[in-house]
Every structure is written in C-alpha cells, then in structure tokens.
Amino acid sequence: MAVPFQVHQFKHGSLGDLKGRLTYQRLYTPVIQFRSIPYAAIPERFKQSVISDCIPEHFDHRPQRDFTQYGNACPHIPQPDSPYGGPLPDHWGRTYEENSCLNLSISAPKSILDAVNNGRNPAVPVMCYIHGGGFTEGAGHTSTLHETMRLAGLSAEDGNPVVFVSIGYRLNWFGFMNCTDLAEESAEDHGDPVFSLGLWDQRNALQWIQRHISGFGGDPSNVTAFGESAGSVSIWCHLCTDVPLFQRAVLMSGTMAVTPTWTMQMHDQQYYQLLQHLEIPTQDTSRHERLSALRAIPSQRLVDAIIPLHAYLFSPYTSPSNTFFSRKHALPTLITEATTITPSHWITSLMIGDTHFEGYVLYALTQHLPHPQFLSAFHSALGSTPQSHALLHHYSIPPTTLDPNPTSTPPPAPIIDPNLFWHLKMLLLGDILISQPVDLAARTLSSSKPFYRYHLCLTNPTLGSPQSFVPGHHYVDLFYLFLTLSERYPPRRDHFFRCQAEGIARAWIRFAGGGEPWRQHTPEEGEVAVWDDRVGMEVRTRDQDERVSKRDAWGKRRLRGYELVQEAWENVPGPSGDEDVAGGGRGTVGERILDARRRLSFGLVAAVAAVTGGMRRSRSE
C-alpha cells in the first residue's frame, strides 16, 4: 500500500531545483523527504569514490532531480522483513546497482524548508544515520523500516526540529574486500594504498553533508552521527581519525571489537578464495589480470559467492598502513578503542549502549553447533585456563564434554540439553562480541567527555517474527527509534510500546540538540538508562541496576559475566606470531587478545560450516 504524498518543488542554494515528497503524517507534523540524492561517483569497481557537488545528468533509473522515490542500494543478500512482522506500507522492494548506490536520503520538517525558502537560515541540528549489517548487507538509506520522516516530524512537533540524513555506502566485496593486489594498485593511483573503500564512501557522505546540509536548513557545525552494529563500528573508525565531520556520536551495539581485526594475510586468503570460487586463474597471472577478471564478473555473482564462502562478516582493515586512520600509534582494538577516540577534541559528547540479548542475532548460525564443536572453537581461542573455565561455569555451560555421571547404558545422555545450550551459547557469545566491549568502553569514556550509557531490554512486540517477544535482541532498538512500527505495536497498557518508542526518539533528539537525554554516566556511579517491558525507562546506578535486575523475568544484568570475559581475555595463552597486528608489540596482552578474538570468530564459522555441510550431505544421501 502506497503512502500518499505530494510532490514538493524546492530550490537548494548550491544543488539547484529538487523534487521531494511532502507527507502529512497522522501522528506528527508535515515532513519533506528527498530520497537517494547522489553524493559521490564510483569511477570503477574497487576504486575510491569521488564526491559530487552537483546533481549528475545521468545517475540511475529515475528522472534527473526527482527524489520522490528511492534509488539503488549496494548489491547484497536481501534482508528479510520477517524480524519486524512483514513488509511495511510503501515497501515496494529495493533495487540494487553498484555504480549508483552512493546516495543519501534527507528528511526535514516542512517548517524548516519553508524558512529556507523565505530567505532565513534555521541552522537546526543534523542527525546522520549509518546503517549496520556486518559490512555485508543493509540499506538503511532506502529502507521503509529506517525512514527518518517520523523522527523529523516528532522533532518539529516538540519544538526541537532536526534535519535527518541516512547514508548508503559500498558493502561486502564492493566496499570491504582488502587485499595486496588492490593495495598495490591504489598505491600507484594515489601514492598510498587505500583500504576499506566503504569507510571512504562514508567520509565522502559526511563531507557532502558539511558542504550542502545548510541548504536544507541544517547546521553543519552541529552534526550527530548515529549508527547501529556495523554502523556504530563505522563511527568508531571515524572517531579514530583527525577529520572532524560531526560533533556528537551515538554508538548503538557496536565497537571495534565486534569485527575481527584481520591481518593482510587473512584478507588475501579471502580474496584468493573468491577468485578460486569464480574460477579466475591465480597461477602465473599478474595483478592486473586478476583484478580485470574480477571486475568483469557480474555483481550478482559476487553476491552469490557470500554464502558458499561463509563471508558473513567483513571487516575494516585496521593497520598502520591504512591511510584512513591518521593516528598510527593508536589504532582501534578491544583494549585501545576507548583511548583512541579520547584525543578527538572536536567531539563534544557521546552516547553508547547495547541490548540485553545481543547474541540472539546468532540464533540461525549457532542452532546446529553442538557442545563439543563449540568447546573446541572456544578453547582454541581462549585456551583451557582457569579463567576460561570460570567464564563457562558462570554462563552454566559445562567446560568439558565429559559426563560427570557416566552410565553404562549407551548411548550416553547429552551433558547439556541442546535447546538450553543454544540459549546459553547465544548469551555468552553476545556478551563476548558486543556487550562486554561496550561496557569496557563505557567505563573508560565516561571520565573524558559528557557521556551517556543505555541498556535496552524491550521485547520485540511484533507477531510472526523469529524474534517475537525476545527481550532486547540485537537491533531491536531500531524497531523503536525510527517510529516506523508505531501502528504495528499492540495497543495494550495505554500504547506502552509506542510511548517507549517516542521516549527513545526524544532522548536521541534531545542529545543531538546539545541537551541531556538522561543523567550522565560517571565512573563512580555507573549511571545507565534502562528500557524494559516492566517499568519503561529508568535511570539507575550500576549497583541499583544489578540489584533491581535480579527480579527481571528475562534475567539479571550480567555485569559479573563481563568481568569474567575480560579476565579470560587477559589470560589467553599466546602469542600466535601473526604479522601486521595493531594494538601492541608481538607477545603483548593486546596482541594475544586480538589473535584470540580472530581465532574465536573464524573457529565458530568453520565449526558451523563443517556441521551444516555434514547435515546437507546426510540429507542428500
């Protein structure tokens, strides 16, 4: 079902005449949205993008200067709409094309653009959204779920108008395939090697905002970047540079520790696996021949290679040789990421948070991973140490596969119920990969700048979702923040879920305007804003949160678990001897942790691949 809108003609000071869509919303004030404005051009596949300061005559399938419909997203595996209960109104499906995917969408209150047309300069705050998806998938800039029209409408309704921007960037092979061949080619082109093209795309988008957002009524000196998961990781990367493109940041369920810090050897291994999968010769061929052959492959074939190669998670290249990072002595890792952004004097305040059950995002990946294979990957990364055993015990996972009560009757019973184990390993992995690094960063950051911490335990209230009624699963915050599911929330308890969504949105908007979303987090008290189904939003100290959460039906806060995770990392045996690792000299605690986190990520993926591959073979046989 299409959402009715009116075509709105708008004259931008530097971009010229633009067509947007004027929407009169039932709940909030009128908003004008410009969908998929091009911000940069891609000269060729795997080449650095070039920022655009004008509207190209030919860019994609739409009429020039008509931004009433969405353009293209970067090719990727389409994301299902089942997590939020099915498609939303105005959802017509996405279009994908790699050379025209660098576009952004802008939502502004109609009152702000009217002021611009009347010659005034409103200079209101700007919020820029960077979507997640493991650097592999996602299209928040062309998604009805992530639309920012309601956020813009609510901001104006409350008298705190904000202009919202959502940016797209290259993903998977197109934006995060790092390898020696591309490094050498880009060094010839630019004088220095260029890695992680998707991050450079984001920088171009943020620079475009600096140049052109004032023409939409926004203030380029008052920009808040906010992102979830890989979008949050992206913001961490921008914070570790000396390029000031925003003043505040909201970091949602993601730090640099979410993605494994790969060595160039690992990136090259992935690159050659792709070449082999596509039957591109690698023996007795030149760099130019390999890259030319890869550039000639249709984009859909590259996307189709993601699943068979188990390329579920791509990663920025955090190495001293990556010119994106300007602080070579302090690249972001688990133990340095908080301190690396402290020198960013241009950042005035930060917000960081996580959800209660981050690991639920791994429900499909871990479903068929048995206890022995899980332990093998776990112990190969963290070792079989007293600290790693204590961590497993804390999460009620047996640290060995030996049955403490063996019987003589074969076959022996499982040492832990498989369904319970599925639940517990998701909790543990979510804490290891996301929640513990977020908590560690919060403890460090809160002493340097105005800082706000949140923890989201709200359930997914939509029916027909694999995550239905799961408390605080990964990315559930997006189902509330953007207000796009307001009509889908159950009306019980006087529209409790819609009230929580508006409360979250107002807190983010207040933060972007320079206000306090809630009480600041301090190292002494550890204040945190908690959203849950029982009381809604409540600010608690760390001690209060630990005490109050004991009676939560979904489980108490796992603060002691975070401490045990850190102790297990700090006692990892090592080192492995891998080269080109950021975060410390060979054999330091930092290097051992980096190497262990890599081994855990790769070990789990390899174990799942082996198990599911065996299942497929047995079914075919």
Side-chain angles (χ1 to χ4, degrees), residues 20-91:
R21 50 193 293 145
L22 169 60
T23 303
Y24 289 90
Q25 306 180 90
R26 183 173 65 85
L27 297 174
Y28 312 112
T29 59
V31 167
I32 298 169
Q33 184 185 46
F34 301 91
R35 293 182 166 183
S36 303
I37 300 174
Y39 69 80
I42 301 171
E44 188 181 14
R45 181 181 289 174
F46 308 136
K47 294 283 189 177
Q48 191 169 356
S49 60
V50 180
I51 194 168
S52 300
D53 284 314
C54 62
I55 304 300
E57 185 175 351
H58 301 289
F59 181 70
D60 57 21
H61 56 280
R62 300 170 298 165
Q64 189 193 26
R65 300 185 174 277
D66 186 339
F67 301 111
T68 59
Q69 304 297 335
Y70 284 126
N72 296 316
C74 180
H76 64 266
I77 299 172
Q79 295 171 301
D81 50 35
S82 58
Y84 49 94
L88 291 167
D90 203 33
H91 176 75

Side-chain angles (χ1 to χ4, degrees), residues 321-443:
S321 58
N322 189 347
T323 54
F324 182 86
F325 299 100
S326 47
R327 300 183 194 129
K328 306 303 181 187
H329 62 286
L331 292 166
T333 68
L334 174 67
I335 60 173
T336 66
E337 59 190 1
T339 56
T340 52
I341 69 175
T342 302
S344 302
H345 57 86
W346 38 276
I347 289 294
T348 60
S349 53
L350 292 163
M351 183 195 300
I352 188 171
D354 63 342
T355 64
H356 176 76
F357 199 170
E358 296 282 9
Y360 200 82
V361 72
L362 303 172
Y363 78 97
L365 184 68
T366 60
Q367 181 177 8
H368 301 294
L369 182 61
H371 183 227
Q373 285 85 342
F374 170 83
L375 287 183
S376 177
F378 181 88
H379 288 312
S380 70
L382 286 95
S384 185
T385 65
Q387 292 79 15
S388 69
H389 283 229
L391 176 59
L392 291 170
H393 274 301
H394 186 77
Y395 285 80
S396 301
I397 297 175
T400 72
T401 58
L402 298 177
D403 191 341
N405 300 302
T407 67
S408 58
T409 304
I415 196 170
I416 182 172
D417 178 82
N419 191 272
L420 173 62
F421 176 56
W422 187 18
H423 185 142
L424 297 176
K425 65 189 168 187
M426 285 192 290
L427 279 179
L428 174 58
L429 291 174
D431 287 356
I432 288 176
L433 296 175
I434 299 178
S435 290
Q436 186 269 340
V438 165
D439 188 70
L440 179 64
R443 293 174 186 241

Side-chain angles (χ1 to χ4, degrees), residues 439 443 542 545-546 557-564:
D439 188 70
R443 293 174 186 241
R542 179 177 286 263
D545 186 39
E546 198 162 18
R557 203 77 64 248
R558 298 181 296 277
L559 301 177
R560 176 55 182 157
Y562 302 162
E563 295 172 354
L564 292 173

Side-chain angles (χ1 to χ4, degrees), residues 80-86 360 363-364 422 426 460 462-470 473 475 479:
D81 50 35
S82 58
Y84 49 94
Y360 200 82
Y363 78 97
W422 187 18
M426 285 192 290
N460 180 343
T462 61
L463 289 176
S465 165
Q467 292 90 354
S468 292
F469 310 111
V470 174
H473 67 74
Y475 63 73
F479 297 176

